[in-house]
């Protein structure tokens, strides 16, 4: 039986890897990443599974039976200063399920299970989120990515080679995915939604649609003291108004979440009016692109107004865009039925506003996600807080669904 204690035992040695006063740091293609691989290999050996590393560096713990298999898992990399659960919780739960269903698989009563740990899910080092799952889905724009550099100037391609993965082979990765009949990811809730509802687990219906805008504001560098107001073309003051405007025009639509998360100013000097500002605005919506596009149209109006008033050129362009991703109805229904067995009622359905490997795989194979209650709602921080008894509930739900789904 899967319990909080059995999960705690699995997670225990991971706590030795890349943990410092600022939290967990296990960036992709580093020594810490390699240390998590050794953990994965020990877990696989314990579950009687054989480890493969696919051409994108994803780790697979495979059964000795013919595919198709159920894929279960998540990721072991982290952001800088992350928490213990974002990623590892899903991998540890996957090993619990794989071990739990082993007797049923041997008896031919359940489909074989493989555990997957995706490479570079967070993208914290090279800004390449869900790298491994995108490689499996055949969705990486490789030449452009491989020359990306980290803060130390190391190119992604070189970092991968140093970690033992030849990036030239990545085009072959989609063949590995063909072995899966479906994929289920268990993940920490990154909100207080489940905690607020008093529910240990939730079934994700879809991932929110997302657009990232890049905005360039061009004014004129000039003296901070001597330039009269009528002659100023202050790109930073206009940027400030645009940031507030972007939020204000989102307020009428509760399905939207808008964040200006990054800003660069030039020349960024204390006594010079800013000549150029670049900023990035992230907009997500529960339904799909309609709400985001309507918001963008209102934002274009704000920008046009502001440009005229401030004599600053403002250009907005789409840096990236991904549509809402609905998870498999069939898998969601089987998770809902399984949750009735485990907690006595169907787990609630939730929409997830973060990107995940399961969302990428959902383009190619039936996929689903189960979230585990997080009392603080905080993630990407040491304040992540999961009661492992709740995670055991999630794993038991998946175990039950995996056993039922083959019949
Ligand atoms: Zn994660």
């Amino acid at each position: 039986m899967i319990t909080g204690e059995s999960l705690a035992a699995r997670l225990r040695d991971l706590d030795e890897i890349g943990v410092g006063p600022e939290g967990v740091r296990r960036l992709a293609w580093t020594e810490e990443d390699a240390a998590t691989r050794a953990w994965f290999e020990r877990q696989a050996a314990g579950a009687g599974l054989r480890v493969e590393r696919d051409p994108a560096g994803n780790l697979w713990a495979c059964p000795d039976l013919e595919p198709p298999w159920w894929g279960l898992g998540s990721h072991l990399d982290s952001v800088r200063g992350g928490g213990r659960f974002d990623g590892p919780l899903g991998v540890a739960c996957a090993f619990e399920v794989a071990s739990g269903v082993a007797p049923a698989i041997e008896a031919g009563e359940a489909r074989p299970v493989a555990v997957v740990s995706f490479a570079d899910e967070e993208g914290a080092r090279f800004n390449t989120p869900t790298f491994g799952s995108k490689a499996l889905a055949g969705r990486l724009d490789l030449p452009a990515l491989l020359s990306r550099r980290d803060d130390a100037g190391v190119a992604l391609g070189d970092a991968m080679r140093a970690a033992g993965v030849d990036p030239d082979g990545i085009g072959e990765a989609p063949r590995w995915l063909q072995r899966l009949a479906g994929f289920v990811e268990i993940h920490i809730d990154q909100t207080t939604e489940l905690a607020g509802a008093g529910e240990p687990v939730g079934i994700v219906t879809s991932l929110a649609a997302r657009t990232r805008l890049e905005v360039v504001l061009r004014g004129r560098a000039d003296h901070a003291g001597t330039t009269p107001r009528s002659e100023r073309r202050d790109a930073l003051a206009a940027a400030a108004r645009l940031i507030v405007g972007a939020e204000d025009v989102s307020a009428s639509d509760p399905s939207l979440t808008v964040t200006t998360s990054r800003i660069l100013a030039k020349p960024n000097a204390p006594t010079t009016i800013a000549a150029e500002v670049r900023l990035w605005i992230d907009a997500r919506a529960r339904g799909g692109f309609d709400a985001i596009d309507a918001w963008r149209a209102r934002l274009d109006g704000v920008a046009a107004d502001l440009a005229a008033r401030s004599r600053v050129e403002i250009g907005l362009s789409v840096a990236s865009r991904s549509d809402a991703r609905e998870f498999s109805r069939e898998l969601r229904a089987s998770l809902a039925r399984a949750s009735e067995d485990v907690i006595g009622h169907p787990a609630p359905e939730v929409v997830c506003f973060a990107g995940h490997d399961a969302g990428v795989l959902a383009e190619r194979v039936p996929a689903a996600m189960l979230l585990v209650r997080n009392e603080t709602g905080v993630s990407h921080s040491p304040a992540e807080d999961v009661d492992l008894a709740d995670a055991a509930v999630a794993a038991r739900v998946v175990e039950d669904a995996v056993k039922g789904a083959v019949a």
Side-chain angles (χ1 to χ4, degrees):
M1 162 106 151
I2 301 171
T3 62
E5 290 71 38
S6 58
L7 274 168
R10 287 190 192 273
L11 287 167
R12 206 164 292 136
D13 356 325
L14 264 184
D15 288 342
E16 307 291 311
I17 304 168
V19 180
E22 267 113 61
V24 175
R25 184 188 173 109
R26 299 178 193 133
L27 304 185
W29 323 114
T30 60
E31 270 173 43
E32 290 77 20
D33 203 22
T36 64
R37 192 161 93 234
W39 175 87
F40 186 93
E41 284 164 358
R42 288 194 296 278
Q43 296 291 319
L49 301 168
R50 130 187 85 75
V51 174
E52 289 178 9
R53 203 172 184 200
D54 72 22
N58 300 306
L59 296 175
W60 294 70
C62 303
D64 278 324
L65 297 159
E66 285 298 303
W69 307 325
W70 281 114
L72 308 176
S74 190
H75 60 95
L76 294 173
D77 71 316
S78 78
V79 296
R80 295 175 178 81
R84 297 176 61 216
F85 301 115
D86 181 342
L89 190 71
V91 183
C93 284
F95 278 115
E96 284 288 295
V97 176
S99 305
V101 296
I105 295 169
E106 258 166 52
E109 289 161 4
R111 180 169 277 165
V113 167
V115 178
V116 189
S117 171
F118 295 98
D120 194 13
E121 192 276 343
E122 298 288 4
R125 186 172 169 197
F126 295 98
N127 190 21
T128 45
T130 54
F131 178 89
S133 51
K134 281 183 184 141
L136 287 172
R139 259 194 47 196
L140 283 183
D141 178 12
L142 267 188
L145 285 186
L146 293 177
S147 55
R148 274 199 196 168
R149 289 178 188 277
D150 68 3
D151 293 343
V154 178
L156 171 57
D158 294 335
M160 289 178 70
R161 276 183 214 101
V165 176
D166 175 6
D168 293 339
I170 287 184
E172 295 296 310
R175 285 202 293 123
W176 265 253
L177 187 61
Q178 286 168 11
R179 304 180 296 184
L180 297 188
F183 180 80
V184 182
E185 179 167 3
I186 291 174
H187 202 276
I188 180 175
D189 186 8
Q190 293 167 287
T191 71
T192 52
E193 195 173 345
L194 293 171
E199 294 281 354
V201 297
I203 298 166
V204 183
T205 53
S206 61
L207 301 185
R210 184 184 63 75
T211 292
R212 191 168 302 144
L213 295 180
E214 182 173 355
V215 186
V216 182
L217 301 98
R218 287 202 176 85
R220 192 182 64 206
D222 209 336
H223 195 284
T226 61
T227 314
R229 195 167 283 168
S230 60
E231 289 172 23
R232 284 172 181 250
R233 295 176 55 203
D234 185 338
L236 193 49
R241 292 192 169 91
L242 189 75
I243 292 168
V244 174
E247 240 190 84
D248 286 349
V249 296
S250 75
S252 57
D253 186 343
S255 76
L256 270 173
T257 302
V258 168
T259 312
T260 301
S261 52
R262 181 163 190 236
I263 183 164
L264 302 171
K266 279 185 194 167
N268 211 16
T271 56
T272 309
I273 293 169
E276 185 185 291
V277 173
R278 245 166 231 275
L279 55 90
W280 285 261
I281 310 178
D282 176 291
R284 303 183 195 218
R286 133 187 335 267
F289 282 135
D290 289 356
I292 292 176
D293 291 343
W295 163 80
R296 165 74 196 269
R298 294 194 293 274
L299 182 64
D300 283 340
V302 170
D305 235 37
L306 198 55
R309 275 196 289 137
S310 58
R311 299 173 303 282
V312 169
E313 273 175 49
I314 305 177
L316 294 93
S317 59
V318 174
S320 68
R321 187 169 160 94
S322 54
D323 204 352
R325 177 81 44 213
E326 191 181 358
F327 285 115
S328 156
R329 281 171 190 272
E330 216 170 292
L331 280 182
R332 278 154 52 199
S334 83
L335 289 171
R337 277 194 301 276
S339 64
E340 274 189 88
D341 292 345
V342 176
I343 55 173
H345 61 272
E349 296 203 316
V350 293
V351 173
C352 180
F353 275 71
H356 291 288
D357 294 308
V360 176
L361 293 198
E363 297 170 28
R364 299 282 187 267
V365 295
M369 267 191 97
L370 212 53
L371 298 185
V372 179
R373 168 164 55 190
N374 172 1
E375 283 300 337
T376 60
V378 170
S379 64
H380 288 186
S381 143
E384 286 175 2
D385 187 13
V386 162
D387 181 341
L388 289 176
D390 290 345
V393 166
R396 290 207 296 272
V397 168
V398 172
E399 181 184 31
D400 195 279
V402 164
K403 278 184 187 163
V406 85

